[in-house]
Amino acid sequence: MASIFGEQYFNSIGKYLKERFGCRVIKLSLDAGFTCPNRDGTKGTGGCIFCSAEGSGDFASDIPGQIKLLSKKWPSGKYIAYFQSHTNTYAPVEILREKYYQALEYPDVIGLAIATRPDCLSPAILELLAELNQKTFLWVELGLQTIHEDTARLINRCYPLSVFDQAVSALSVLDIKTVVHLILGLPGESREDMLTSIHRSCSKDIFGIKLHLMNVLKDTKLAEFYPDRIHIPKKEEYINLVVDALEIIPQHITIHRVTADAPRHLLIAPEWGYEKRSILNGIQKEFKRRGSYQGIVFNDSSPSRPSL
Ligand code: SF4
């Protein structure tokens, strides 16, 4: 069966951006100096159990330095300023405004990606995001990780699913693109649990999905679960799971990630967690073997649609 996505088999954000902007578009990973309400006691303490000290932004760096390096490889490339580390709407709105507009001042920065928690989108912040959405290419990333409340409690996410639903609706009303983060392999979750999280997320008005491989990093609470209280999949098992997941994601939803960027010096398990290229190759091979592609079973009339 032919894939409408060619040899890649899924609707990658890289392909989407290339078609939309006519050139290579690269994300600049930024640490704007924000913190997180799940660390400072406002929503919780200690943070999510998988989160590293850098607030899930271990590669974050500055804009001119990154552009200087990247432009050597892609001289005609453009950039999206990706506010990655910690919670990037967790500051007074005037500070947020200053940071976002500063990033847009660089001539080759053509848009913004803002990662945050769904409980950090006040009316004033939504108003600012709506303003930016009129002026530039924008998406907002929400760290959901799972739809299951018992897992959410276990990972110390510190907000219920209803808050995520409200945030997606509020962004959708403003025509702001939403990207959902989900983690594959959280403690205690079965394959069905993970696919149910994906399936439900896809029933919302979302632009994209990030599927994160569950990496166990040093100096996180999750490290205390290792090795006895967490299942670490073999690479082949993970590849199969990702392909199962992509098969139930509708084709219009962009795929922003299917692995995770794990700094090798922090990675405890899985030991193959940093082998991004090999995981991607494995996913393509598995799609080819199955004769399938993203969205193949996400079809109401399909007899093979999983009962979730
Ligand atoms: S994952 Fe996000 S919400 Fe959770 S502790 Fe880290 S920065 Fe905060």
mmCIF file with all atom_site columns, all heavy atoms in Angstrom, residues 36 38-39 47-48 50-51 55-56 86-87 117 145, ligand 1:
data_model
loop_
_atom_site.group_PDB
_atom_site.id
_atom_site.type_symbol
_atom_site.label_atom_id
_atom_site.label_alt_id
_atom_site.label_comp_id
_atom_site.label_asym_id
_atom_site.label_entity_id
_atom_site.label_seq_id
_atom_site.pdbx_PDB_ins_code
_atom_site.Cartn_x
_atom_site.Cartn_y
_atom_site.Cartn_z
_atom_site.occupancy
_atom_site.B_iso_or_equiv
_atom_site.pdbx_formal_charge
_atom_site.auth_seq_id
_atom_site.auth_comp_id
_atom_site.auth_asym_id
_atom_site.auth_atom_id
_atom_site.pdbx_PDB_model_num
ATOM   1   N  N   . CYS A 1 36  ? 9.157  26.715 36.977 1.00 0.00 ? 36  CYS A N   1
ATOM   2   C  CA  . CYS A 1 36  ? 7.990  25.868 36.777 1.00 0.00 ? 36  CYS A CA  1
ATOM   3   C  C   . CYS A 1 36  ? 7.151  25.848 38.059 1.00 0.00 ? 36  CYS A C   1
ATOM   4   O  O   . CYS A 1 36  ? 7.696  25.662 39.146 1.00 0.00 ? 36  CYS A O   1
ATOM   5   C  CB  . CYS A 1 36  ? 8.446  24.456 36.421 1.00 0.00 ? 36  CYS A CB  1
ATOM   6   S  SG  . CYS A 1 36  ? 7.072  23.297 36.382 1.00 0.00 ? 36  CYS A SG  1
ATOM   7   N  N   . ASN A 1 38  ? 5.372  23.650 39.102 1.00 0.00 ? 38  ASN A N   1
ATOM   8   C  CA  . ASN A 1 38  ? 5.356  22.314 39.698 1.00 0.00 ? 38  ASN A CA  1
ATOM   9   C  C   . ASN A 1 38  ? 6.658  22.041 40.457 1.00 0.00 ? 38  ASN A C   1
ATOM   10  O  O   . ASN A 1 38  ? 6.896  20.946 40.940 1.00 0.00 ? 38  ASN A O   1
ATOM   11  C  CB  . ASN A 1 38  ? 5.151  21.259 38.602 1.00 0.00 ? 38  ASN A CB  1
ATOM   12  C  CG  . ASN A 1 38  ? 4.700  19.926 39.170 1.00 0.00 ? 38  ASN A CG  1
ATOM   13  O  OD1 . ASN A 1 38  ? 4.279  19.851 40.326 1.00 0.00 ? 38  ASN A OD1 1
ATOM   14  N  ND2 . ASN A 1 38  ? 4.818  18.887 38.373 1.00 0.00 ? 38  ASN A ND2 1
ATOM   15  N  N   . ARG A 1 39  ? 7.494  23.070 40.510 1.00 0.00 ? 39  ARG A N   1
ATOM   16  C  CA  . ARG A 1 39  ? 8.737  22.946 41.277 1.00 0.00 ? 39  ARG A CA  1
ATOM   17  C  C   . ARG A 1 39  ? 8.777  23.945 42.433 1.00 0.00 ? 39  ARG A C   1
ATOM   18  O  O   . ARG A 1 39  ? 9.388  23.675 43.459 1.00 0.00 ? 39  ARG A O   1
ATOM   19  C  CB  . ARG A 1 39  ? 9.945  23.204 40.367 1.00 0.00 ? 39  ARG A CB  1
ATOM   20  C  CG  . ARG A 1 39  ? 10.221 22.065 39.393 1.00 0.00 ? 39  ARG A CG  1
ATOM   21  C  CD  . ARG A 1 39  ? 11.441 22.390 38.552 1.00 0.00 ? 39  ARG A CD  1
ATOM   22  N  NE  . ARG A 1 39  ? 11.762 21.314 37.630 1.00 0.00 ? 39  ARG A NE  1
ATOM   23  C  CZ  . ARG A 1 39  ? 12.477 20.241 37.939 1.00 0.00 ? 39  ARG A CZ  1
ATOM   24  N  NH1 . ARG A 1 39  ? 12.948 20.107 39.155 1.00 0.00 ? 39  ARG A NH1 1
ATOM   25  N  NH2 . ARG A 1 39  ? 12.730 19.316 37.041 1.00 0.00 ? 39  ARG A NH2 1
ATOM   26  N  N   . GLY A 1 47  ? 8.603  18.711 40.989 1.00 0.00 ? 47  GLY A N   1
ATOM   27  C  CA  . GLY A 1 47  ? 8.460  18.558 39.538 1.00 0.00 ? 47  GLY A CA  1
ATOM   28  C  C   . GLY A 1 47  ? 7.963  17.185 39.137 1.00 0.00 ? 47  GLY A C   1
ATOM   29  O  O   . GLY A 1 47  ? 7.792  16.289 39.973 1.00 0.00 ? 47  GLY A O   1
ATOM   30  N  N   . CYS A 1 48  ? 7.704  17.014 37.850 1.00 0.00 ? 48  CYS A N   1
ATOM   31  C  CA  . CYS A 1 48  ? 7.309  15.706 37.321 1.00 0.00 ? 48  CYS A CA  1
ATOM   32  C  C   . CYS A 1 48  ? 8.481  14.739 37.515 1.00 0.00 ? 48  CYS A C   1
ATOM   33  O  O   . CYS A 1 48  ? 9.649  15.152 37.392 1.00 0.00 ? 48  CYS A O   1
ATOM   34  C  CB  . CYS A 1 48  ? 6.959  15.812 35.843 1.00 0.00 ? 48  CYS A CB  1
ATOM   35  S  SG  . CYS A 1 48  ? 5.672  17.044 35.507 1.00 0.00 ? 48  CYS A SG  1
ATOM   36  N  N   . PHE A 1 50  ? 9.954  12.540 35.898 1.00 0.00 ? 50  PHE A N   1
ATOM   37  C  CA  . PHE A 1 50  ? 10.901 12.244 34.815 1.00 0.00 ? 50  PHE A CA  1
ATOM   38  C  C   . PHE A 1 50  ? 11.738 13.459 34.442 1.00 0.00 ? 50  PHE A C   1
ATOM   39  O  O   . PHE A 1 50  ? 12.675 13.361 33.645 1.00 0.00 ? 50  PHE A O   1
ATOM   40  C  CB  . PHE A 1 50  ? 10.137 11.774 33.563 1.00 0.00 ? 50  PHE A CB  1
ATOM   41  C  CG  . PHE A 1 50  ? 9.041  12.726 33.172 1.00 0.00 ? 50  PHE A CG  1
ATOM   42  C  CD1 . PHE A 1 50  ? 9.317  13.854 32.428 1.00 0.00 ? 50  PHE A CD1 1
ATOM   43  C  CD2 . PHE A 1 50  ? 7.739  12.503 33.590 1.00 0.00 ? 50  PHE A CD2 1
ATOM   44  C  CE1 . PHE A 1 50  ? 8.307  14.751 32.104 1.00 0.00 ? 50  PHE A CE1 1
ATOM   45  C  CE2 . PHE A 1 50  ? 6.728  13.387 33.265 1.00 0.00 ? 50  PHE A CE2 1
ATOM   46  C  CZ  . PHE A 1 50  ? 7.017  14.515 32.520 1.00 0.00 ? 50  PHE A CZ  1
ATOM   47  N  N   . CYS A 1 51  ? 11.399 14.624 34.993 1.00 0.00 ? 51  CYS A N   1
ATOM   48  C  CA  . CYS A 1 51  ? 11.964 15.895 34.517 1.00 0.00 ? 51  CYS A CA  1
ATOM   49  C  C   . CYS A 1 51  ? 13.356 16.142 35.110 1.00 0.00 ? 51  CYS A C   1
ATOM   50  O  O   . CYS A 1 51  ? 13.545 16.049 36.321 1.00 0.00 ? 51  CYS A O   1
ATOM   51  C  CB  . CYS A 1 51  ? 11.014 17.020 34.897 1.00 0.00 ? 51  CYS A CB  1
ATOM   52  S  SG  . CYS A 1 51  ? 11.479 18.603 34.199 1.00 0.00 ? 51  CYS A SG  1
ATOM   53  N  N   . GLY A 1 55  ? 14.643 21.180 33.439 1.00 0.00 ? 55  GLY A N   1
ATOM   54  C  CA  . GLY A 1 55  ? 13.242 21.377 33.065 1.00 0.00 ? 55  GLY A CA  1
ATOM   55  C  C   . GLY A 1 55  ? 12.956 20.914 31.654 1.00 0.00 ? 55  GLY A C   1
ATOM   56  O  O   . GLY A 1 55  ? 12.287 21.594 30.891 1.00 0.00 ? 55  GLY A O   1
ATOM   57  N  N   . SER A 1 56  ? 13.468 19.742 31.291 1.00 0.00 ? 56  SER A N   1
ATOM   58  C  CA  . SER A 1 56  ? 13.239 19.149 29.976 1.00 0.00 ? 56  SER A CA  1
ATOM   59  C  C   . SER A 1 56  ? 13.798 20.014 28.855 1.00 0.00 ? 56  SER A C   1
ATOM   60  O  O   . SER A 1 56  ? 13.251 20.060 27.759 1.00 0.00 ? 56  SER A O   1
ATOM   61  C  CB  . SER A 1 56  ? 11.757 18.880 29.732 1.00 0.00 ? 56  SER A CB  1
ATOM   62  O  OG  . SER A 1 56  ? 11.273 17.978 30.678 1.00 0.00 ? 56  SER A OG  1
ATOM   63  N  N   . HIS A 1 86  ? 11.514 24.399 31.066 1.00 0.00 ? 86  HIS A N   1
ATOM   64  C  CA  . HIS A 1 86  ? 10.542 24.718 32.120 1.00 0.00 ? 86  HIS A CA  1
ATOM   65  C  C   . HIS A 1 86  ? 9.187  25.131 31.515 1.00 0.00 ? 86  HIS A C   1
ATOM   66  O  O   . HIS A 1 86  ? 8.802  24.625 30.476 1.00 0.00 ? 86  HIS A O   1
ATOM   67  C  CB  . HIS A 1 86  ? 11.109 25.778 33.071 1.00 0.00 ? 86  HIS A CB  1
ATOM   68  C  CG  . HIS A 1 86  ? 12.332 25.292 33.788 1.00 0.00 ? 86  HIS A CG  1
ATOM   69  N  ND1 . HIS A 1 86  ? 12.268 24.344 34.780 1.00 0.00 ? 86  HIS A ND1 1
ATOM   70  C  CD2 . HIS A 1 86  ? 13.650 25.587 33.623 1.00 0.00 ? 86  HIS A CD2 1
ATOM   71  C  CE1 . HIS A 1 86  ? 13.493 24.092 35.220 1.00 0.00 ? 86  HIS A CE1 1
ATOM   72  N  NE2 . HIS A 1 86  ? 14.350 24.824 34.531 1.00 0.00 ? 86  HIS A NE2 1
ATOM   73  N  N   . THR A 1 87  ? 8.502  26.095 32.167 1.00 0.00 ? 87  THR A N   1
ATOM   74  C  CA  . THR A 1 87  ? 7.129  26.451 31.764 1.00 0.00 ? 87  THR A CA  1
ATOM   75  C  C   . THR A 1 87  ? 7.158  27.848 31.165 1.00 0.00 ? 87  THR A C   1
ATOM   76  O  O   . THR A 1 87  ? 7.338  28.837 31.882 1.00 0.00 ? 87  THR A O   1
ATOM   77  C  CB  . THR A 1 87  ? 6.191  26.384 32.990 1.00 0.00 ? 87  THR A CB  1
ATOM   78  O  OG1 . THR A 1 87  ? 6.235  25.059 33.520 1.00 0.00 ? 87  THR A OG1 1
ATOM   79  C  CG2 . THR A 1 87  ? 4.756  26.715 32.606 1.00 0.00 ? 87  THR A CG2 1
ATOM   80  N  N   . ARG A 1 117 ? 2.530  24.410 30.511 1.00 0.00 ? 117 ARG A N   1
ATOM   81  C  CA  . ARG A 1 117 ? 1.531  23.573 31.176 1.00 0.00 ? 117 ARG A CA  1
ATOM   82  C  C   . ARG A 1 117 ? 0.146  24.144 30.863 1.00 0.00 ? 117 ARG A C   1
ATOM   83  O  O   . ARG A 1 117 ? -0.006 25.364 30.778 1.00 0.00 ? 117 ARG A O   1
ATOM   84  C  CB  . ARG A 1 117 ? 1.740  23.624 32.701 1.00 0.00 ? 117 ARG A CB  1
ATOM   85  C  CG  . ARG A 1 117 ? 2.968  22.960 33.207 1.00 0.00 ? 117 ARG A CG  1
ATOM   86  C  CD  . ARG A 1 117 ? 3.196  23.273 34.688 1.00 0.00 ? 117 ARG A CD  1
ATOM   87  N  NE  . ARG A 1 117 ? 2.076  22.913 35.547 1.00 0.00 ? 117 ARG A NE  1
ATOM   88  C  CZ  . ARG A 1 117 ? 1.936  21.725 36.149 1.00 0.00 ? 117 ARG A CZ  1
ATOM   89  N  NH1 . ARG A 1 117 ? 2.857  20.794 36.010 1.00 0.00 ? 117 ARG A NH1 1
ATOM   90  N  NH2 . ARG A 1 117 ? 0.888  21.474 36.916 1.00 0.00 ? 117 ARG A NH2 1
ATOM   91  N  N   . GLN A 1 145 ? 1.352  14.151 28.681 1.00 0.00 ? 145 GLN A N   1
ATOM   92  C  CA  . GLN A 1 145 ? 2.058  12.891 29.005 1.00 0.00 ? 145 GLN A CA  1
ATOM   93  C  C   . GLN A 1 145 ? 1.135  11.678 29.046 1.00 0.00 ? 145 GLN A C   1
ATOM   94  O  O   . GLN A 1 145 ? 1.464  10.627 28.548 1.00 0.00 ? 145 GLN A O   1
ATOM   95  C  CB  . GLN A 1 145 ? 2.865  12.959 30.319 1.00 0.00 ? 145 GLN A CB  1
ATOM   96  C  CG  . GLN A 1 145 ? 3.529  14.275 30.667 1.00 0.00 ? 145 GLN A CG  1
ATOM   97  C  CD  . GLN A 1 145 ? 4.361  14.915 29.566 1.00 0.00 ? 145 GLN A CD  1
ATOM   98  O  OE1 . GLN A 1 145 ? 4.530  14.340 28.500 1.00 0.00 ? 145 GLN A OE1 1
ATOM   99  N  NE2 . GLN A 1 145 ? 4.881  16.119 29.784 1.00 0.00 ? 145 GLN A NE2 1
HETATM 100 S  S1  . SF4 B 2 .   ? 8.010  18.403 32.923 1.00 0.00 ? 1   SF4 B S1  1
HETATM 101 FE FE1 . SF4 B 2 .   ? 7.355  20.523 32.704 1.00 0.00 ? 1   SF4 B FE1 1
HETATM 102 S  S2  . SF4 B 2 .   ? 5.709  20.756 34.234 1.00 0.00 ? 1   SF4 B S2  1
HETATM 103 FE FE2 . SF4 B 2 .   ? 6.853  18.920 34.790 1.00 0.00 ? 1   SF4 B FE2 1
HETATM 104 S  S3  . SF4 B 2 .   ? 8.394  19.633 36.258 1.00 0.00 ? 1   SF4 B S3  1
HETATM 105 FE FE3 . SF4 B 2 .   ? 9.367  19.629 34.227 1.00 0.00 ? 1   SF4 B FE3 1
HETATM 106 S  S4  . SF4 B 2 .   ? 9.105  21.709 33.476 1.00 0.00 ? 1   SF4 B S4  1
HETATM 107 FE FE4 . SF4 B 2 .   ? 7.634  21.438 35.182 1.00 0.00 ? 1   SF4 B FE4 1
#
